[in-house]
């Protein structure tokens, strides 16, 4: 119900505050895998903090300034995607994504992010979709490449996490490039 298919048994679905307990359990299981890259994986430590995180995205969705979605495989929550930034006024947005270790290697995030880009570009008329990633995060950089994005530059020492300053590469695809590519490039 209310979902976008991502292939056999897989779907992209709403993820809402009432599902906080499930997100907290998922984050506990996947924390070691997620926390090197995702600041929120440090903050979501129990059902209450998961509910707060989901409520912030529910509020952003109501304000049309962000959105969170879950990725399910055979019904189980195995990952998610966010519009961390979404501005219809500026015509741009930023997507983020994650998977549990065992759900990797099937193209789930490439397809989920592709569905989000398609929606942002075609349904919402946005001109630009960004993907911000640590230079050390090779699997995530590979997703940006598969989506046909361009590495535009690197923001140096842009945020602190676990006592260390981190760089972020800015990858992006413009609406006309997305339309020309017409779909993710699965194996580039
Ligand atoms: C980043 C992350 C989401 C990438 O996961 P992933 O499974 O590699 O990405 P995809 O879902 O796009 O799948 C691509 C993989 O599936 C394979 N694949 C299989 N069928 C595919 C298909 N139809 N289309 C695309 N890829 C497919 C690809 O070959 C690739 O595997 P490979 O790296 O072994 O070559 C994951 O590593 C993760 O959650 N990391 C921790 C959190 C994180 O870093 N998030 C991003 C922060 S910027």
């Amino acid at each position: 119900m209310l979902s976008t298919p991502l292939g056999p048994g897989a779907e992209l679905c709403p993820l809402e505050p009432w599902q906080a307990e499930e997100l907290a359990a998922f984050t506990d299981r996947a924390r070691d895998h997620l926390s090197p890259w995702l600041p929120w994986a440090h903050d979501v430590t129990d059902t209450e903090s998961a509910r707060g995180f989901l409520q912030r995205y529910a509020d952003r969705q109501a304000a049309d300034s962000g959105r969170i979605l879950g990725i399910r495989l055979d019904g189980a929550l195995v990952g998610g995607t966010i519009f961390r930034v979404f501005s219809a006024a500026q015509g741009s947005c930023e997507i983020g994504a994650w998977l549990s270790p065992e759900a990797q290697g099937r193209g789930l995030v490439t397809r989920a992010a592709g569905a989000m880009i398609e929606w942002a570009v075609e349904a919402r008329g946005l001109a630009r979709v960004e993907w911000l990633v640590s230079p050390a995060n090779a699997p995530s950089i590979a997703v940006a490449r598969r989506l046909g994005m361009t590495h535009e530059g690197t923001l140096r020492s842009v945020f602190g996490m676990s006592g260390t300053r981190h760089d972020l590469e800015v990858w992006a695809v413009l609406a006309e490039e997305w339309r020309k590519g017409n779909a993710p490039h699965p194996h580039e």
Side-chain angles (χ1 to χ4, degrees), residues 6 71 99 103-114 143 146 184 186-187:
L6 296 178
I71 298 175
L99 287 171
Q104 296 177 113
R106 302 160 192 250
L108 290 176
V109 154
T110 297
R111 288 199 291 278
V143 173
R146 270 184 226 107
H187 292 290

Side-chain angles (χ1 to χ4, degrees), residues 83-114:
F83 282 115
R84 204 180 68 86
V85 176
F86 190 95
S87 171
Q90 292 187 3
S92 69
C93 64
E94 182 202 327
I95 292 178
W98 57 91
L99 287 171
S100 59
E102 65 280 5
Q104 296 177 113
R106 302 160 192 250
L108 290 176
V109 154
T110 297
R111 288 199 291 278

Side-chain angles (χ1 to χ4, degrees), residues 8-176:
E11 51 188 354
L12 185 65
C13 323
L15 190 56
E16 298 177 350
W18 65 270
Q19 293 162 308
E21 197 174 339
E22 192 181 14
L23 177 66
F26 167 83
T27 309
D28 256 358
R29 285 195 303 276
R31 192 178 320 279
D32 290 350
H33 173 66
L34 304 180
S35 58
W37 317 112
L38 303 171
W40 67 260
H42 296 254
D43 303 332
V44 171
T45 52
D46 55 17
T47 301
E48 260 336 282
S49 50
R51 198 186 320 281
F53 177 63
L54 291 174
Q55 188 62 52
R56 282 195 291 285
Y57 272 95
D59 293 344
R60 288 184 198 179
Q61 178 165 336
D64 200 26
S65 64
R67 217 166 260 263
I68 188 165
L69 296 158
I71 298 175
R72 291 187 183 275
L73 197 53
D74 300 326
L77 188 65
V78 297
T81 59
I82 47 175
F83 282 115
R84 204 180 68 86
V85 176
F86 190 95
S87 171
Q90 292 187 3
S92 69
C93 64
E94 182 202 327
I95 292 178
W98 57 91
L99 287 171
S100 59
E102 65 280 5
Q104 296 177 113
R106 302 160 192 250
L108 290 176
V109 154
T110 297
R111 288 199 291 278
M116 292 171 78
I117 297 171
E118 182 70 15
W119 182 79
V121 167
E122 298 302 349
R124 302 303 308 278
L126 267 54
R128 170 184 173 84
V129 180
E130 294 184 351
W131 183 270
L132 268 55
V133 54
S134 161
N137 193 344
S140 180
I141 290 171
V143 173
R145 277 190 214 284
R146 270 184 226 107
L147 291 166
M149 291 180 163
T150 297
H151 180 200
E152 298 181 331
T154 302
L155 304 170
R156 297 175 302 156
S157 191
V158 69
F159 75 105
M161 189 172 65
S162 307
T164 311
R165 302 291 307 170
H166 294 268
D167 295 352
L168 282 176
E169 293 186 359
V170 180
W171 290 72
V173 62
L174 304 185
E176 58 269 26

